[in-house]
Structures are given as structure tokens and as C-alpha cells.
Amino acid sequence: MKLYSRPLSPYSSVVRGVAYIKDVPLKIMTPPPGFPIPEEFRRISPLNRIPVLITASGVTIVESSVIVEYLEERFPEPPLLPADPKDKALVRMFTRIADLDVLAPTMKLFELYSAAARDNESIEVYFGKLRHGLRAAEARMAFGPYALGDQLTLADAWLTPIRFIFNNFRLMTGRTDLLDAYPKFNAYESIATQHPALSRVWGEMADGLKVFLSEFRTERT
Ligand SMILES: N[C@@H](CCC(=O)N[C@@H](CS)C(=O)NCC(=O)O)C(=O)O
């Protein structure tokens, strides 16, 4: 199987986390360099974005949440969803909140802060959405040992890259106190950085960020 991914892409990092936890035999590939991803990649990914999984039989699967559900079924050990349907729904609910209500407004804010002209009104709107998402995630989290309590789940694979990006995001936006109201979310860094597979993802993202920032600085000089 092949996974098209970039180290700093949070959606790709969710998939790598699940693959590392399950020891999935995976060849990690990168799309051609450039932001946005060059059009030629559309031959591989119809939506021209990552992550993209190509299965051993050549089937293309896109959308991080679909890819991780596929990996969960195809490689059931260790299970990252509880057996009980209600508990399973609670994990899936958390991952949707993490994706749609925390990561999505954060990515939008990255875009707004990178724009040539500052749109303060939109920035405040998206910070409002983000705070709602963080509050909903915080309310469902445990104080360890994993995101939702005793079992390592898909919630951990989602939270690791999301929590990672908040370190740079807080500096970039100047909102250094952003996570003060969400202590469990904030403290998740120490869970992610102590788990073998999750810390591997964290380290790859840290390396990816160094490369990204050095390229960004070179572009500006
Ligand atoms: N909903 C998609 C979002 C994927 C996504 O937005 N990926 C970004 C990278 S993190 C991307 O490929 N953007 C296009 C680009 O960078 O040109 C998923 O969950 O897979």
C-alpha cells in the first residue's frame, strides 16, 4: 500500500498515526513540491489533495476519516474503536468534532493570517467557531492516559496532529493564552509525545515545520 502524505499535513498525519500504531506496511510517498499541490497530482488524487491511500490492489481512497476507518477494518489489531456500539459512536463523534469544529476553523485561520490583507472580522468569526469546537472537545476528553480515557482510540490519532499545530498557531496569531481555558486539550502534548507511534508523528511534524519555516523565510528574503 502507498500513502501520499506530507510530514506537516495534519490530515495526512492522522492517517500516519493510525498506520504506525497498527504497524501497517506502507510506502510513504510525497506529492510533487509546491503550494498549492501542483495540478499534475490530480492524476493520482481526483481532488488534488492529501492524504491519498492506494491499496495493494490499486484502489484509490481519499478523505482521512475514510482512510483510517478502512485501516481499522483491514488491520484490526490493535483496535482503535471500542467494541460497544455506543462507545464506538462516542469515539467517532469526538473525531468529527476534532475534524470539523477544531481543525477546520484552525486551517481557515491559518489561511486568513497568511492573506496579504488582514480581514479582522472573519478572523474573529473563526476564532469564535474554534472556541466552540475546543470547548466541545475539552468536555469529552479525559485527563489521560489517552484522549478519551483508558483505551487508545482514533481520537488519539486525530488529537496528536491537531494539538501539534496549536504550538505554532498560538505564536503566529499572538494568542498565547488560547488554550488556557482547555487544560485537557492543552496537556495532550505530553500524552502524544510519550507514546511511541504518536511521538513519531509529532517528530515528523516538527521536522516538517522546520523545513516549512525555513522555505517561508527564504521566500521572503
Ligand atoms: N477533508 C480532507 C482534507 C484534506 C486536506 O485539506 N488536505 C490538505 C493538506 S493538509 C491539502 O491537500 N490541500 C491542498 C493543497 O495543499 O494544495 C481529508 O480529511 O482528507
Side-chain angles (χ1 to χ4, degrees):
M1 281 200 300
K2 287 189 234 168
L3 176 73
Y4 284 89
S5 160
R6 278 179 178 165
L8 194 52
S9 152
Y11 298 99
S12 306
S13 299
V14 173
V15 177
R16 293 201 310 279
V18 170
Y20 297 159
I21 292 167
K22 291 176 175 287
D23 224 355
V24 173
L26 204 57
K27 187 167 181 205
I28 306 278
M29 318 279 288
T30 49
F35 295 98
I37 296 172
E39 271 300 310
E40 65 194 84
F41 190 61
R42 213 172 279 278
R43 280 190 293 116
I44 289 165
S45 169
L47 298 165
N48 215 33
R49 59 184 190 227
I50 49 173
V52 184
L53 184 80
I54 315 281
T55 69
S57 58
V59 174
T60 299
I61 305 177
V62 296
E63 280 301 310
S64 50
S65 55
V66 177
I67 298 173
V68 298
E69 290 275 350
Y70 170 78
L71 294 179
E72 176 67 9
E73 289 188 26
R74 175 78 180 70
F75 301 91
E77 293 302 326
L80 294 178
L81 283 171
D84 178 76
K86 166 184 60 63
D87 295 336
K88 204 177 279 184
L90 290 173
V91 174
R92 287 188 171 128
M93 188 168 78
F94 183 88
T95 64
R96 299 309 286 148
I97 291 170
D99 181 358
L100 302 174
D101 299 292
V102 181
L103 186 52
T106 309
M107 297 299 272
K108 183 67 194 176
L109 282 160
F110 269 122
E111 196 184 304
L112 286 166
Y113 273 89
S114 309
R118 188 57 53 90
D119 177 354
N120 287 322
E121 203 177 313
S122 297
I123 285 177
E124 287 317 314
V125 168
Y126 279 94
F127 265 114
K129 288 179 193 286
L130 175 57
R131 275 190 288 270
H132 284 302
L134 284 168
R135 195 175 313 132
E138 179 76 11
R140 286 161 179 83
M141 284 183 71
F143 272 112
Y146 298 110
L148 301 183
D150 290 336
Q151 195 192 332
L152 182 72
T153 65
L154 291 181
D156 293 277
W158 275 93
L159 262 189
T160 298
I162 294 178
R163 179 61 191 81
F164 174 87
I165 62 178
F166 269 85
N167 287 354
N168 183 48
F169 181 71
R170 282 184 297 191
L171 293 176
M172 177 190 180
T173 59
R175 308 215 181 191
T176 49
D177 60 353
L178 182 64
L179 296 185
D180 291 0
Y182 317 104
K184 288 178 276 187
F185 183 90
N186 196 10
Y188 190 77
E189 174 168 1
S190 66
I191 295 177
T193 52
Q194 283 172 51
H195 183 277
L198 301 177
S199 66
R200 183 174 167 195
V201 172
W202 189 282
E204 289 170 349
M205 292 188 81
D207 291 344
L209 180 62
K210 273 185 219 145
V211 172
F212 176 80
L213 290 176
S214 68
E215 282 173 0
F216 183 72
R217 278 187 206 113
T218 315
E219 256 174 43
R220 296 211 150 184
T221 50

